[in-house]
Amino acid sequence: MEYLIGIQGPDFVLVAADNVAASSIIQMKHDYDKMFKLSEKILLLCVGEAGDTVQFAEYIQKNVQLYKMRNGYELSPAAAANFTRKNLADYLRSRTPYHVNLLLAGYDEADGPGLYYMDYLSALAKAPFAAHGYGAFLTLSILDRYYRPDLTREEAVDLLKKCLEELNKRFILNLPSFTVRLIDKDGIHDMEKLPVAPK
Amino acid sequence: MALQDVCGFLETLDDISPCTYLPNEMGYMWRTPCEFDRDSAFHFLFPSQQCRRKNRAPTLFSSAFSSLSPHQQPFQLSHGTTTLGFIFQDGVIAAADTRASCKGLICCPISQKIMPIHSHLVVNTSGSGADCMLWERILTREMRLYQLRHHKRLSVNGAAKLLSMMLHPFKGTNVCVAATLCGWDEEQETRKTLQACMEIADVKEAMERDSSVSTILDESAQGCVKMASINKQDENLKDAHAMNPTVSHQNTKNVLSTFGSRSGPRVCYVCSDGLQLKGEIISVGSGSPYAYAVLDDGWRWGMTVDEAVALAREAVFRATHWDAYSGNNVDLFHITAHGWRRRDREDLKEEYYRERERKKKKIKEREKERQKKEGGELAEGEGDIYSVCCR
């Protein structure tokens, strides 16, 4: 139903998410933003069950900001990812587990760019590329074929476009537009929304 | 509710339930209603944990959790109703049908699904009738408390967030509320920008303007609007415009500039399963697909009030025609900066017959035109192949 994708380059991370907010069979919103800004250089992409996504993502967002206020410096992406995973794991065996699938993308001054894949069972993996949703079945092999660790930004956007074209061609649901953002040492940059016309 | 609080009535609880909002600080402390922080919006009992997450209907995502679940439905389009709300340049329209159904029975053909919360906010409810009534009252109470404590109205988005947070502990239980909050936000900023603008103008005129406009703002800020007070405010504004035509121009310019930012019309959807959406057009219920089709076709930001009202009426009418769980009458509310105004309840059965008459008339007219055309063509070109073929 929902789709997230992330591609890590040598000095940037490119992430995209679809813009549909659906309620049973109706698309209630066409311009819904599924990315949550944790800090100047960390983005959390969150999909899953209706209320859980916003609730959990905002909880993490506020806690990361609280850390900055208390300690004077921001959490690194690795630390934020592990904090998120710990919270997911704590709630997993409680009576109110959060059913959310996440991608955390960030840029660290020391470690460089990082993309972290997390799922609702609180598995965490640092990956060069990752995707969530039914669309992932269709696009992971494309990423496998064409991904190289030394992609330029243009090549990464082209790879992303290839994936979205495949989705439009073979995915049964209509995902008309995607929000695309790029994180590098200068922060988070909004890129133009990608609607790809079906071929 | 209020009496219960005042008496300090304690209710015994079956289970200890940890507060999900403060996992680390509160731990497993359970607070009885007396000890609860009076300022907290969550000043009511949380549900017993035993019933949580048991009745959750399985979704595509919850396959990992094997819980006792009711029968599988292809998709959940419960909420037998049609409600809609949309914003446009001149305010917000909220419309709904009036049929309350229970499986196959119409429990009440004249129920009211749109309920005013305060002078500038109205809520369309769908889902379980009892839940909606209760949560509407709880929301009204919390908004009134906010207004008394902070001396300003809570914005529509704020109210939606508040309702969403209050409903979150009940996620997974059988609480079924899908509410659309339709209202007009008025920020204190608008008053400041107006006054700042006035200071630029002539000092003498500025003093006159200040006195007239500030009285208007005071009146509108006091809320509680009925038709009479709306008319009064209209008269006051007219007077102000008559006195100082340049002021009205500045006022409208300021209102327009603050439109997208802090003040203006807002529509927000809150669902008991946690979904919260802000948008321009929201429709909820089993009749919502039909309503969306009409709304998507006819909605423009620059609609006039009459066009908007007609669009909303038509959307509800079409939905009630196709959907078995919607029908009877249509209620319509129009919310502007002055407050909400209610249109008389209209029986859609008459509309159905009127439409049939209109269609018959149109077919007759088209038939006449066609005959005229054919008659004209025959008169003009008798040897024309096409006219012969058209016969």
Side-chain angles (χ1 to χ4, degrees), chain A residues 1 24 26 28-29 49 51 55 58-59 91 95-97 99 120, chain B residues 23 49 52-53 56 60-61 64-65 76 161 171 273-274 278 292:
Chain A
M1 302 282 202
S24 83
I26 303 280
M28 293 203 80
K29 246 193 137 187
E49 210 173 307
Q55 199 77 22
E58 286 195 347
Y59 172 67
Y91 278 106
R95 271 165 264 173
T96 61
H99 203 304
Y120 68 97
Chain B
Q49 287 296 320
R52 288 200 65 177
R53 307 282 156 146
R56 234 180 179 176
L60 284 168
F61 301 111
F65 301 101
Q76 285 173 342
K161 196 80 192 170
K171 186 171 164 138
D273 64 10
K278 308 175 246 270
Y292 267 121

PDB file of all heavy atoms in Angstrom, chain A residues 1 24 26 28-29 49 51 55 58-59 91 95-97 99 120, chain B residues 23 49 52-53 56 60-61 64-65 76 161 171 273-274 278 292:
ATOM      1  N   MET A   1       0.825  -1.201   0.000  1.00  0.00           N
ATOM      2  CA  MET A   1       0.000   0.000   0.000  1.00  0.00           C
ATOM      3  C   MET A   1       0.857   1.247   0.000  1.00  0.00           C
ATOM      4  O   MET A   1       0.702   2.139  -0.810  1.00  0.00           O
ATOM      5  CB  MET A   1      -0.881   0.038   1.258  1.00  0.00           C
ATOM      6  CG  MET A   1      -1.773  -1.137   1.423  1.00  0.00           C
ATOM      7  SD  MET A   1      -3.183  -1.005   0.354  1.00  0.00           S
ATOM      8  CE  MET A   1      -4.320  -2.067   1.179  1.00  0.00           C
ATOM      9  N   SER A  24      -9.274   2.681   3.971  1.00  0.00           N
ATOM     10  CA  SER A  24      -9.853   1.548   3.226  1.00  0.00           C
ATOM     11  C   SER A  24      -9.639   1.757   1.734  1.00  0.00           C
ATOM     12  O   SER A  24      -8.511   1.781   1.294  1.00  0.00           O
ATOM     13  CB  SER A  24     -11.284   1.284   3.620  1.00  0.00           C
ATOM     14  OG  SER A  24     -12.192   2.101   2.964  1.00  0.00           O
ATOM     15  N   ILE A  26     -10.366   4.442  -0.147  1.00  0.00           N
ATOM     16  CA  ILE A  26     -10.393   5.839  -0.606  1.00  0.00           C
ATOM     17  C   ILE A  26      -9.040   6.478  -0.345  1.00  0.00           C
ATOM     18  O   ILE A  26      -8.471   6.355   0.737  1.00  0.00           O
ATOM     19  CB  ILE A  26     -11.462   6.625   0.158  1.00  0.00           C
ATOM     20  CG1 ILE A  26     -12.817   5.976  -0.007  1.00  0.00           C
ATOM     21  CG2 ILE A  26     -11.508   8.065  -0.293  1.00  0.00           C
ATOM     22  CD1 ILE A  26     -13.495   6.296  -1.285  1.00  0.00           C
ATOM     23  N   MET A  28      -7.586   9.526   0.816  1.00  0.00           N
ATOM     24  CA  MET A  28      -8.117  10.728   1.449  1.00  0.00           C
ATOM     25  C   MET A  28      -7.221  11.928   1.182  1.00  0.00           C
ATOM     26  O   MET A  28      -7.672  13.056   1.176  1.00  0.00           O
ATOM     27  CB  MET A  28      -8.285  10.504   2.953  1.00  0.00           C
ATOM     28  CG  MET A  28      -9.361   9.489   3.230  1.00  0.00           C
ATOM     29  SD  MET A  28     -10.066   9.627   4.846  1.00  0.00           S
ATOM     30  CE  MET A  28     -11.190  10.962   4.623  1.00  0.00           C
ATOM     31  N   LYS A  29      -5.925  11.680   0.993  1.00  0.00           N
ATOM     32  CA  LYS A  29      -5.018  12.802   0.766  1.00  0.00           C
ATOM     33  C   LYS A  29      -4.001  12.417  -0.283  1.00  0.00           C
ATOM     34  O   LYS A  29      -3.486  11.299  -0.286  1.00  0.00           O
ATOM     35  CB  LYS A  29      -4.289  13.137   2.062  1.00  0.00           C
ATOM     36  CG  LYS A  29      -4.645  14.480   2.605  1.00  0.00           C
ATOM     37  CD  LYS A  29      -3.718  14.923   3.671  1.00  0.00           C
ATOM     38  CE  LYS A  29      -3.441  16.385   3.366  1.00  0.00           C
ATOM     39  NZ  LYS A  29      -2.469  17.013   4.128  1.00  0.00           N
ATOM     40  N   GLU A  49       0.648   1.103  10.485  1.00  0.00           N
ATOM     41  CA  GLU A  49      -0.742   1.244  10.886  1.00  0.00           C
ATOM     42  C   GLU A  49      -1.112   2.693  11.146  1.00  0.00           C
ATOM     43  O   GLU A  49      -0.287   3.474  11.596  1.00  0.00           O
ATOM     44  CB  GLU A  49      -0.952   0.440  12.154  1.00  0.00           C
ATOM     45  CG  GLU A  49      -2.361  -0.063  12.245  1.00  0.00           C
ATOM     46  CD  GLU A  49      -2.523  -0.984  13.405  1.00  0.00           C
ATOM     47  OE1 GLU A  49      -1.740  -1.936  13.496  1.00  0.00           O
ATOM     48  OE2 GLU A  49      -3.409  -0.708  14.214  1.00  0.00           O
ATOM     49  N   GLY A  51      -2.745   5.050  13.168  1.00  0.00           N
ATOM     50  CA  GLY A  51      -2.386   5.998  14.213  1.00  0.00           C
ATOM     51  C   GLY A  51      -0.986   5.810  14.723  1.00  0.00           C
ATOM     52  O   GLY A  51      -0.326   6.750  15.151  1.00  0.00           O
ATOM     53  N   GLN A  55       2.051   8.685  15.850  1.00  0.00           N
ATOM     54  CA  GLN A  55       2.276   8.654  17.291  1.00  0.00           C
ATOM     55  C   GLN A  55       3.731   8.297  17.589  1.00  0.00           C
ATOM     56  O   GLN A  55       4.425   9.000  18.323  1.00  0.00           O
ATOM     57  CB  GLN A  55       1.346   7.597  17.890  1.00  0.00           C
ATOM     58  CG  GLN A  55       1.097   7.724  19.361  1.00  0.00           C
ATOM     59  CD  GLN A  55       0.102   8.826  19.676  1.00  0.00           C
ATOM     60  OE1 GLN A  55      -0.683   9.229  18.831  1.00  0.00           O
ATOM     61  NE2 GLN A  55       0.144   9.323  20.874  1.00  0.00           N
ATOM     62  N   GLU A  58       6.373  10.891  16.055  1.00  0.00           N
ATOM     63  CA  GLU A  58       6.455  12.152  16.808  1.00  0.00           C
ATOM     64  C   GLU A  58       7.083  11.931  18.169  1.00  0.00           C
ATOM     65  O   GLU A  58       7.818  12.788  18.669  1.00  0.00           O
ATOM     66  CB  GLU A  58       5.056  12.759  16.955  1.00  0.00           C
ATOM     67  CG  GLU A  58       4.571  13.366  15.657  1.00  0.00           C
ATOM     68  CD  GLU A  58       3.373  14.275  15.833  1.00  0.00           C
ATOM     69  OE1 GLU A  58       2.751  14.254  16.907  1.00  0.00           O
ATOM     70  OE2 GLU A  58       3.067  14.991  14.880  1.00  0.00           O
ATOM     71  N   TYR A  59       6.859  10.792  18.767  1.00  0.00           N
ATOM     72  CA  TYR A  59       7.484  10.479  20.051  1.00  0.00           C
ATOM     73  C   TYR A  59       8.998  10.465  19.899  1.00  0.00           C
ATOM     74  O   TYR A  59       9.729  11.074  20.695  1.00  0.00           O
ATOM     75  CB  TYR A  59       6.963   9.127  20.533  1.00  0.00           C
ATOM     76  CG  TYR A  59       7.646   8.570  21.753  1.00  0.00           C
ATOM     77  CD1 TYR A  59       7.520   9.193  22.984  1.00  0.00           C
ATOM     78  CD2 TYR A  59       8.405   7.413  21.680  1.00  0.00           C
ATOM     79  CE1 TYR A  59       8.137   8.684  24.106  1.00  0.00           C
ATOM     80  CE2 TYR A  59       9.017   6.899  22.791  1.00  0.00           C
ATOM     81  CZ  TYR A  59       8.877   7.534  24.001  1.00  0.00           C
ATOM     82  OH  TYR A  59       9.502   7.019  25.110  1.00  0.00           O
ATOM     83  N   TYR A  91       8.386  -1.698  23.239  1.00  0.00           N
ATOM     84  CA  TYR A  91       6.941  -1.747  23.082  1.00  0.00           C
ATOM     85  C   TYR A  91       6.462  -3.029  22.446  1.00  0.00           C
ATOM     86  O   TYR A  91       5.289  -3.380  22.539  1.00  0.00           O
ATOM     87  CB  TYR A  91       6.449  -0.571  22.218  1.00  0.00           C
ATOM     88  CG  TYR A  91       6.299   0.708  22.992  1.00  0.00           C
ATOM     89  CD1 TYR A  91       7.211   1.743  22.850  1.00  0.00           C
ATOM     90  CD2 TYR A  91       5.254   0.874  23.887  1.00  0.00           C
ATOM     91  CE1 TYR A  91       7.082   2.911  23.566  1.00  0.00           C
ATOM     92  CE2 TYR A  91       5.115   2.034  24.608  1.00  0.00           C
ATOM     93  CZ  TYR A  91       6.029   3.049  24.446  1.00  0.00           C
ATOM     94  OH  TYR A  91       5.904   4.197  25.143  1.00  0.00           O
ATOM     95  N   ARG A  95       1.731  -4.505  25.898  1.00  0.00           N
ATOM     96  CA  ARG A  95       0.377  -4.758  25.413  1.00  0.00           C
ATOM     97  C   ARG A  95      -0.016  -3.798  24.300  1.00  0.00           C
ATOM     98  O   ARG A  95      -1.078  -3.894  23.724  1.00  0.00           O
ATOM     99  CB  ARG A  95      -0.615  -4.670  26.577  1.00  0.00           C
ATOM    100  CG  ARG A  95      -0.788  -6.011  27.248  1.00  0.00           C
ATOM    101  CD  ARG A  95      -1.452  -5.883  28.604  1.00  0.00           C
ATOM    102  NE  ARG A  95      -0.446  -5.855  29.648  1.00  0.00           N
ATOM    103  CZ  ARG A  95      -0.709  -5.617  30.922  1.00  0.00           C
ATOM    104  NH1 ARG A  95      -1.924  -5.333  31.296  1.00  0.00           N
ATOM    105  NH2 ARG A  95       0.238  -5.637  31.830  1.00  0.00           N
ATOM    106  N   THR A  96       0.858  -2.861  24.006  1.00  0.00           N
ATOM    107  CA  THR A  96       0.530  -1.900  22.950  1.00  0.00           C
ATOM    108  C   THR A  96       1.710  -1.771  21.995  1.00  0.00           C
ATOM    109  O   THR A  96       2.404  -0.756  21.994  1.00  0.00           O
ATOM    110  CB  THR A  96       0.237  -0.515  23.548  1.00  0.00           C
ATOM    111  OG1 THR A  96       1.412  -0.056  24.236  1.00  0.00           O
ATOM    112  CG2 THR A  96      -0.910  -0.572  24.516  1.00  0.00           C
ATOM    113  N   PRO A  97       1.949  -2.802  21.190  1.00  0.00           N
ATOM    114  CA  PRO A  97       3.085  -2.680  20.263  1.00  0.00           C
ATOM    115  C   PRO A  97       2.765  -1.712  19.135  1.00  0.00           C
ATOM    116  O   PRO A  97       1.604  -1.545  18.753  1.00  0.00           O
ATOM    117  CB  PRO A  97       3.250  -4.106  19.730  1.00  0.00           C
ATOM    118  CG  PRO A  97       1.929  -4.734  19.896  1.00  0.00           C
ATOM    119  CD  PRO A  97       1.254  -4.080  21.043  1.00  0.00           C
ATOM    120  N   HIS A  99       2.971  -0.896  15.304  1.00  0.00           N
ATOM    121  CA  HIS A  99       3.153  -1.606  14.047  1.00  0.00           C
ATOM    122  C   HIS A  99       3.622  -0.608  12.997  1.00  0.00           C
ATOM    123  O   HIS A  99       2.823  -0.080  12.234  1.00  0.00           O
ATOM    124  CB  HIS A  99       1.847  -2.268  13.625  1.00  0.00           C
ATOM    125  CG  HIS A  99       2.071  -3.406  12.697  1.00  0.00           C
ATOM    126  ND1 HIS A  99       2.754  -3.273  11.518  1.00  0.00           N
ATOM    127  CD2 HIS A  99       1.735  -4.702  12.779  1.00  0.00           C
ATOM    128  CE1 HIS A  99       2.812  -4.441  10.926  1.00  0.00           C
ATOM    129  NE2 HIS A  99       2.207  -5.322  11.662  1.00  0.00           N
ATOM    130  N   TYR A 120       8.817  -3.624  11.897  1.00  0.00           N
ATOM    131  CA  TYR A 120       7.919  -3.573  13.059  1.00  0.00           C
ATOM    132  C   TYR A 120       8.332  -4.570  14.139  1.00  0.00           C
ATOM    133  O   TYR A 120       7.874  -4.468  15.269  1.00  0.00           O
ATOM    134  CB  TYR A 120       6.473  -3.816  12.623  1.00  0.00           C
ATOM    135  CG  TYR A 120       6.193  -5.208  12.127  1.00  0.00           C
ATOM    136  CD1 TYR A 120       5.642  -6.163  12.963  1.00  0.00           C
ATOM    137  CD2 TYR A 120       6.468  -5.563  10.816  1.00  0.00           C
ATOM    138  CE1 TYR A 120       5.384  -7.437  12.513  1.00  0.00           C
ATOM    139  CE2 TYR A 120       6.214  -6.830  10.360  1.00  0.00           C
ATOM    140  CZ  TYR A 120       5.682  -7.770  11.205  1.00  0.00           C
ATOM    141  OH  TYR A 120       5.429  -9.031  10.744  1.00  0.00           O
TER     142      TYR A 120
ATOM    143  N   PRO B  23       6.144   6.433  29.356  1.00  0.00           N
ATOM    144  CA  PRO B  23       6.541   5.063  29.735  1.00  0.00           C
ATOM    145  C   PRO B  23       7.632   5.013  30.782  1.00  0.00           C
ATOM    146  O   PRO B  23       7.611   4.181  31.662  1.00  0.00           O
ATOM    147  CB  PRO B  23       7.023   4.461  28.423  1.00  0.00           C
ATOM    148  CG  PRO B  23       7.386   5.628  27.589  1.00  0.00           C
ATOM    149  CD  PRO B  23       6.518   6.766  28.011  1.00  0.00           C
ATOM    150  N   GLN B  49      -7.034  -3.133  30.257  1.00  0.00           N
ATOM    151  CA  GLN B  49      -6.086  -3.632  29.258  1.00  0.00           C
ATOM    152  C   GLN B  49      -6.481  -4.974  28.705  1.00  0.00           C
ATOM    153  O   GLN B  49      -5.983  -5.390  27.681  1.00  0.00           O
ATOM    154  CB  GLN B  49      -4.687  -3.748  29.877  1.00  0.00           C
ATOM    155  CG  GLN B  49      -4.043  -2.400  30.103  1.00  0.00           C
ATOM    156  CD  GLN B  49      -3.789  -1.668  28.805  1.00  0.00           C
ATOM    157  OE1 GLN B  49      -3.395  -2.260  27.814  1.00  0.00           O
ATOM    158  NE2 GLN B  49      -4.053  -0.393  28.791  1.00  0.00           N
ATOM    159  N   ARG B  52      -8.144  -4.771  25.309  1.00  0.00           N
ATOM    160  CA  ARG B  52      -7.432  -4.115  24.227  1.00  0.00           C
ATOM    161  C   ARG B  52      -6.837  -5.124  23.272  1.00  0.00           C
ATOM    162  O   ARG B  52      -6.435  -6.189  23.662  1.00  0.00           O
ATOM    163  CB  ARG B  52      -6.323  -3.246  24.776  1.00  0.00           C
ATOM    164  CG  ARG B  52      -6.861  -2.035  25.450  1.00  0.00           C
ATOM    165  CD  ARG B  52      -5.811  -1.000  25.531  1.00  0.00           C
ATOM    166  NE  ARG B  52      -5.437  -0.540  24.212  1.00  0.00           N
ATOM    167  CZ  ARG B  52      -4.565   0.424  24.006  1.00  0.00           C
ATOM    168  NH1 ARG B  52      -3.974   0.994  25.006  1.00  0.00           N
ATOM    169  NH2 ARG B  52      -4.255   0.805  22.797  1.00  0.00           N
ATOM    170  N   ARG B  53      -6.769  -4.756  22.038  1.00  0.00           N
ATOM    171  CA  ARG B  53      -6.068  -5.513  21.007  1.00  0.00           C
ATOM    172  C   ARG B  53      -6.658  -6.898  20.788  1.00  0.00           C
ATOM    173  O   ARG B  53      -6.087  -7.702  20.098  1.00  0.00           O
ATOM    174  CB  ARG B  53      -4.568  -5.704  21.348  1.00  0.00           C
ATOM    175  CG  ARG B  53      -3.864  -4.424  21.667  1.00  0.00           C
ATOM    176  CD  ARG B  53      -3.536  -3.668  20.432  1.00  0.00           C
ATOM    177  NE  ARG B  53      -3.387  -2.254  20.676  1.00  0.00           N
ATOM    178  CZ  ARG B  53      -2.551  -1.428  20.066  1.00  0.00           C
ATOM    179  NH1 ARG B  53      -1.785  -1.873  19.129  1.00  0.00           N
ATOM    180  NH2 ARG B  53      -2.489  -0.155  20.350  1.00  0.00           N
ATOM    181  N   ARG B  56      -9.381  -6.342  17.589  1.00  0.00           N
ATOM    182  CA  ARG B  56      -8.851  -5.644  16.421  1.00  0.00           C
ATOM    183  C   ARG B  56      -9.108  -6.456  15.178  1.00  0.00           C
ATOM    184  O   ARG B  56      -8.681  -7.588  15.060  1.00  0.00           O
ATOM    185  CB  ARG B  56      -7.347  -5.499  16.595  1.00  0.00           C
ATOM    186  CG  ARG B  56      -6.907  -4.090  16.473  1.00  0.00           C
ATOM    187  CD  ARG B  56      -5.453  -4.078  16.647  1.00  0.00           C
ATOM    188  NE  ARG B  56      -4.924  -2.783  16.533  1.00  0.00           N
ATOM    189  CZ  ARG B  56      -3.663  -2.491  16.731  1.00  0.00           C
ATOM    190  NH1 ARG B  56      -2.851  -3.434  17.079  1.00  0.00           N
ATOM    191  NH2 ARG B  56      -3.215  -1.282  16.591  1.00  0.00           N
ATOM    192  N   LEU B  60      -3.907  -5.718   6.714  1.00  0.00           N
ATOM    193  CA  LEU B  60      -2.823  -6.326   5.951  1.00  0.00           C
ATOM    194  C   LEU B  60      -1.548  -6.377   6.776  1.00  0.00           C
ATOM    195  O   LEU B  60      -0.670  -7.176   6.538  1.00  0.00           O
ATOM    196  CB  LEU B  60      -2.571  -5.535   4.672  1.00  0.00           C
ATOM    197  CG  LEU B  60      -3.619  -5.760   3.568  1.00  0.00           C
ATOM    198  CD1 LEU B  60      -3.444  -4.719   2.491  1.00  0.00           C
ATOM    199  CD2 LEU B  60      -3.480  -7.141   2.967  1.00  0.00           C
ATOM    200  N   PHE B  61      -1.426  -5.499   7.749  1.00  0.00           N
ATOM    201  CA  PHE B  61      -0.161  -5.387   8.470  1.00  0.00           C
ATOM    202  C   PHE B  61      -0.104  -6.269   9.698  1.00  0.00           C
ATOM    203  O   PHE B  61       0.951  -6.565  10.186  1.00  0.00           O
ATOM    204  CB  PHE B  61       0.064  -3.939   8.898  1.00  0.00           C
ATOM    205  CG  PHE B  61       0.092  -3.007   7.731  1.00  0.00           C
ATOM    206  CD1 PHE B  61      -0.924  -2.100   7.532  1.00  0.00           C
ATOM    207  CD2 PHE B  61       1.128  -3.047   6.821  1.00  0.00           C
ATOM    208  CE1 PHE B  61      -0.906  -1.245   6.451  1.00  0.00           C
ATOM    209  CE2 PHE B  61       1.143  -2.188   5.747  1.00  0.00           C
ATOM    210  CZ  PHE B  61       0.130  -1.280   5.562  1.00  0.00           C
ATOM    211  N   ALA B  64       1.218 -10.710  11.861  1.00  0.00           N
ATOM    212  CA  ALA B  64       2.112 -11.336  12.826  1.00  0.00           C
ATOM    213  C   ALA B  64       1.431 -11.559  14.159  1.00  0.00           C
ATOM    214  O   ALA B  64       1.844 -12.397  14.945  1.00  0.00           O
ATOM    215  CB  ALA B  64       3.365 -10.490  13.011  1.00  0.00           C
ATOM    216  N   PHE B  65       0.414 -10.798  14.459  1.00  0.00           N
ATOM    217  CA  PHE B  65      -0.209 -10.890  15.772  1.00  0.00           C
ATOM    218  C   PHE B  65      -1.429 -11.770  15.689  1.00  0.00           C
ATOM    219  O   PHE B  65      -2.429 -11.408  15.103  1.00  0.00           O
ATOM    220  CB  PHE B  65      -0.604  -9.492  16.261  1.00  0.00           C
ATOM    221  CG  PHE B  65       0.577  -8.571  16.359  1.00  0.00           C
ATOM    222  CD1 PHE B  65       0.830  -7.636  15.390  1.00  0.00           C
ATOM    223  CD2 PHE B  65       1.458  -8.686  17.421  1.00  0.00           C
ATOM    224  CE1 PHE B  65       1.928  -6.796  15.479  1.00  0.00           C
ATOM    225  CE2 PHE B  65       2.554  -7.855  17.506  1.00  0.00           C
ATOM    226  CZ  PHE B  65       2.793  -6.922  16.543  1.00  0.00           C
ATOM    227  N   GLN B  76     -13.065  -2.432   5.185  1.00  0.00           N
ATOM    228  CA  GLN B  76     -13.978  -1.905   6.200  1.00  0.00           C
ATOM    229  C   GLN B  76     -14.560  -0.589   5.738  1.00  0.00           C
ATOM    230  O   GLN B  76     -13.879   0.408   5.728  1.00  0.00           O
ATOM    231  CB  GLN B  76     -13.234  -1.681   7.512  1.00  0.00           C
ATOM    232  CG  GLN B  76     -12.966  -2.972   8.216  1.00  0.00           C
ATOM    233  CD  GLN B  76     -12.091  -2.737   9.409  1.00  0.00           C
ATOM    234  OE1 GLN B  76     -11.441  -1.714   9.522  1.00  0.00           O
ATOM    235  NE2 GLN B  76     -12.046  -3.677  10.306  1.00  0.00           N
ATOM    236  N   LYS B 161      -5.558  17.440  17.079  1.00  0.00           N
ATOM    237  CA  LYS B 161      -4.466  16.758  17.769  1.00  0.00           C
ATOM    238  C   LYS B 161      -4.914  16.306  19.146  1.00  0.00           C
ATOM    239  O   LYS B 161      -4.630  15.182  19.586  1.00  0.00           O
ATOM    240  CB  LYS B 161      -3.281  17.720  17.885  1.00  0.00           C
ATOM    241  CG  LYS B 161      -1.985  17.073  18.208  1.00  0.00           C
ATOM    242  CD  LYS B 161      -1.384  16.479  16.969  1.00  0.00           C
ATOM    243  CE  LYS B 161      -0.242  15.576  17.320  1.00  0.00           C
ATOM    244  NZ  LYS B 161       0.192  14.812  16.180  1.00  0.00           N
ATOM    245  N   LYS B 171      -7.382   2.760  21.266  1.00  0.00           N
ATOM    246  CA  LYS B 171      -7.116   2.104  19.984  1.00  0.00           C
ATOM    247  C   LYS B 171      -7.085   0.609  20.203  1.00  0.00           C
ATOM    248  O   LYS B 171      -6.430   0.107  21.098  1.00  0.00           O
ATOM    249  CB  LYS B 171      -5.772   2.576  19.450  1.00  0.00           C
ATOM    250  CG  LYS B 171      -5.528   2.056  18.079  1.00  0.00           C
ATOM    251  CD  LYS B 171      -4.326   2.688  17.457  1.00  0.00           C
ATOM    252  CE  LYS B 171      -3.953   1.812  16.287  1.00  0.00           C
ATOM    253  NZ  LYS B 171      -3.586   2.461  15.132  1.00  0.00           N
ATOM    254  N   ASP B 273      -8.945   5.104  15.020  1.00  0.00           N
ATOM    255  CA  ASP B 273      -7.783   4.232  14.871  1.00  0.00           C
ATOM    256  C   ASP B 273      -6.499   5.021  14.698  1.00  0.00           C
ATOM    257  O   ASP B 273      -5.452   4.451  14.435  1.00  0.00           O
ATOM    258  CB  ASP B 273      -7.973   3.227  13.730  1.00  0.00           C
ATOM    259  CG  ASP B 273      -8.093   3.902  12.372  1.00  0.00           C
ATOM    260  OD1 ASP B 273      -7.851   5.113  12.282  1.00  0.00           O
ATOM    261  OD2 ASP B 273      -8.438   3.212  11.410  1.00  0.00           O
ATOM    262  N   GLY B 274      -6.589   6.351  14.834  1.00  0.00           N
ATOM    263  CA  GLY B 274      -5.379   7.148  14.917  1.00  0.00           C
ATOM    264  C   GLY B 274      -5.097   8.023  13.721  1.00  0.00           C
ATOM    265  O   GLY B 274      -4.260   8.908  13.787  1.00  0.00           O
ATOM    266  N   LYS B 278      -5.191  16.688   7.654  1.00  0.00           N
ATOM    267  CA  LYS B 278      -5.704  18.023   7.331  1.00  0.00           C
ATOM    268  C   LYS B 278      -5.868  18.052   5.827  1.00  0.00           C
ATOM    269  O   LYS B 278      -5.078  17.471   5.107  1.00  0.00           O
ATOM    270  CB  LYS B 278      -4.670  19.084   7.716  1.00  0.00           C
ATOM    271  CG  LYS B 278      -4.181  18.959   9.129  1.00  0.00           C
ATOM    272  CD  LYS B 278      -3.084  19.969   9.394  1.00  0.00           C
ATOM    273  CE  LYS B 278      -1.760  19.310   9.644  1.00  0.00           C
ATOM    274  NZ  LYS B 278      -1.494  19.006  11.039  1.00  0.00           N
ATOM    275  N   TYR B 292     -17.320  11.998  -2.786  1.00  0.00           N
ATOM    276  CA  TYR B 292     -16.026  12.446  -3.320  1.00  0.00           C
ATOM    277  C   TYR B 292     -16.106  12.673  -4.814  1.00  0.00           C
ATOM    278  O   TYR B 292     -15.534  13.624  -5.343  1.00  0.00           O
ATOM    279  CB  TYR B 292     -14.940  11.401  -3.032  1.00  0.00           C
ATOM    280  CG  TYR B 292     -14.176  11.629  -1.761  1.00  0.00           C
ATOM    281  CD1 TYR B 292     -14.152  10.672  -0.760  1.00  0.00           C
ATOM    282  CD2 TYR B 292     -13.460  12.797  -1.560  1.00  0.00           C
ATOM    283  CE1 TYR B 292     -13.444  10.878   0.403  1.00  0.00           C
ATOM    284  CE2 TYR B 292     -12.761  13.014  -0.394  1.00  0.00           C
ATOM    285  CZ  TYR B 292     -12.754  12.053   0.582  1.00  0.00           C
ATOM    286  OH  TYR B 292     -12.054  12.246   1.738  1.00  0.00           O
TER     287      TYR B 292
END
